[in-house]
Amino acid sequence: MTPQFYIAAMSEKPEGGIYRYRMRENAAPEQVGFTPVPGVNYLAFSPDRKFMFSTCIIDGQGGVASYAVGEDGALTFLSSMASGGKSACYVITDPAGEFLYCANYSTGDFSEFRLDGDGRIVERTQLVRHEGRGPNVSRQEGPHTHFTNMTPDGKYLVVIDLGVDALYAYRLDPGRGIDAANPKVSKMTPGDGPRHLVFDRSGRIAYLANELGNSVTSLTYDDGVFTVIGKVTTLPRFQEGATKVAAIRLSQDERFLFVSNRGYDSIAVYELDGKGGMKPFDLVLSGGSSPRDINFLPGCRWFGAANEFSDTVFFFDCDGRGRLTPNGCVLRLPRPLHIFW
């Protein structure tokens, strides 16, 4: 099948939903499908890629939904369920595809759902709320969960809480879900507002995007515990004005790290040494307003910036050596938030 990718576009209008695109040789991607989904902002596959899961809005509250993925990549709705919180913003399954986890940003909690073998969401089994606050009075007045993902060893669910500057690691019991009562908590710099995390293939090094601190922290990982190695800014030396970090991505060869800034609308690029060392390499304008997500496209020769407030996805050519060059391709769709494949 020709390589495809999806873009989650969150809009209160009918145009909001999951857009499906087909890659083409020496041409702009072609839209080949659309699935309307109210309030969608993040997507995830089941481990076997037969099903897709999304965040959504149900009766004004957070929710999750599931879809069957056809052989041609088309999506067929299967089920949906309220998350129990507000502003659902991240979804992921456990390694066996038995549970789905969803972060609810506004209410500072996250949900666990049981899945059946046919991709349907059966029941919400847990709703776990964090407590505390951070020093930023406007953004850290309480907990704000922003990320749920599995550790590479498959032992823990990592939940990042922007509101309390912490990474929580919950032990996963296969077939039974997480142990919500006894997380391992790794505290980060107060006020940094950690948002998203990526691991390298070794599973021992991770990179943390700090939304409020406009920085990236490199970490070691061992059995649910994260330890800081170093930190670098995502901004130029004389930048002024409000700005905040959003997405973080690794290049396929893991030599380069890419982080998006919203406000100072740009993509910061770092050269990595594979041991947690990060060296500023480049800083590229995102081609629009507020790049909520950035990602490579299938084949990793193209790179996209989903500019939320200019309703555009701006594309770059990748040279494989950390350089991004605008290639003139721009997709226009309502409030693009996540580039996924």
Side-chain angles (χ1 to χ4, degrees):
M1 185 175 70
T2 303
Q4 298 186 16
F5 64 96
Y6 303 83
I7 297 177
M10 179 177 171
S11 170
E12 300 308 316
K13 301 177 182 179
E15 295 85 1
I18 304 171
Y19 288 73
R20 181 166 58 96
Y21 291 90
R22 177 173 64 90
M23 298 292 293
R24 296 188 293 178
E25 189 70 27
N26 298 318
E30 176 188 19
Q31 184 181 337
V32 291
F34 172 72
T35 304
V37 185
V40 60
N41 59 29
Y42 219 83
L43 308 172
F45 279 126
S46 61
D48 60 9
R49 299 178 68 90
K50 292 182 179 180
F51 308 106
M52 182 184 286
F53 303 92
S54 78
T55 56
C56 65
I57 293 175
I58 300 175
D59 297 329
Q61 304 294 310
V64 291
S66 66
Y67 311 85
V69 181
E71 291 185 2
D72 61 353
L75 304 178
T76 301
F77 175 78
L78 295 175
S79 65
S80 64
M81 189 171 294
S83 68
K86 289 185 177 182
S87 306
C89 62
Y90 206 103
V91 286
I92 198 70
T93 71
D94 72 314
E98 298 174 326
F99 293 94
L100 179 71
Y101 295 94
C102 170
N104 302 304
Y105 177 83
S106 292
T107 44
D109 48 42
F110 69 95
S111 316
E112 178 187 81
F113 301 87
R114 185 177 295 278
L115 305 173
D116 68 13
D118 297 318
R120 290 177 174 81
I121 304 163
V122 177
E123 62 176 333
R124 190 175 71 237
T125 50
Q126 296 193 69
L127 180 63
V128 183
R129 180 173 171 80
H130 293 159
E131 300 293 338
R133 63 182 61 190
N136 187 315
V137 294
S138 63
R139 294 293 308 280
Q140 295 182 310
E141 79 294 346
H144 289 298
T145 52
H146 216 315
F147 174 95
T148 53
N149 212 328
M150 298 302 303
T151 55
D153 56 21
K155 295 179 180 179
Y156 296 90
L157 175 76
V158 177
V159 180
I160 296 178
D161 198 312
L162 179 150
V164 300
D165 298 309
L167 280 61
Y168 293 74
Y170 294 88
R171 171 73 78 166
L172 175 69
D173 185 351
R176 300 185 64 179
I178 61 163
D179 176 5
N182 300 289
K184 295 184 178 182
V185 182
S186 300
K187 296 292 291 184
M188 297 292 114
T189 302
D192 264 1
R195 176 184 172 96
H196 280 190
L197 181 78
V198 291
F199 286 92
D200 71 5
R201 279 189 290 271
S202 76
R204 297 187 296 271
I205 302 293
Y207 301 92
L208 177 66
N210 301 306
E211 177 171 334
L212 305 183
N214 296 301
S215 60
V216 181
T217 302
S218 58
L219 307 160
T220 59
Y221 169 76
D222 181 45
D223 194 32
V225 176
F226 295 87
T227 304
V228 172
I229 301 172
K231 184 162 65 173
V232 292
T233 181
T234 62
L235 300 173
R237 189 155 55 103
F238 296 112
Q239 188 276 334
E240 296 181 355
T243 188
K244 54 189 178 182
V245 158
I248 184 167
R249 302 286 184 181
L250 273 171
S251 63
Q252 191 174 36
D253 61 9
E254 300 189 343
R255 292 175 54 213
F256 298 95
L257 183 73
F258 301 79
V259 184
S260 66
N261 295 301
R262 296 173 292 171
Y264 186 79
D265 298 319
S266 58
I267 303 162
V269 186
Y270 305 91
E271 189 172 12
L272 307 178
D273 66 4
K275 302 176 183 178
M278 302 173 288
K279 179 182 178 182
F281 181 79
D282 203 0
L283 188 63
V284 183
L285 296 180
S286 70
S289 175
S290 192
R292 174 74 169 261
D293 192 25
I294 53 174
N295 204 357
F296 292 90
L297 268 60
C300 296
R301 291 183 296 176
W302 282 42
F303 189 91
N307 294 299
E308 176 180 5
F309 296 138
S310 54
D311 295 336
T312 57
V313 180
F314 189 87
F315 291 100
F316 303 81
D317 287 331
C318 310
D319 70 353
R321 297 184 296 276
R323 297 292 181 188
L324 301 178
T325 304
N327 62 21
C329 178
V330 181
L331 298 179
R332 303 186 184 281
L333 62 167
R335 202 178 168 199
L337 301 179
H338 188 205
I339 304 168
F340 176 74
W341 56 280

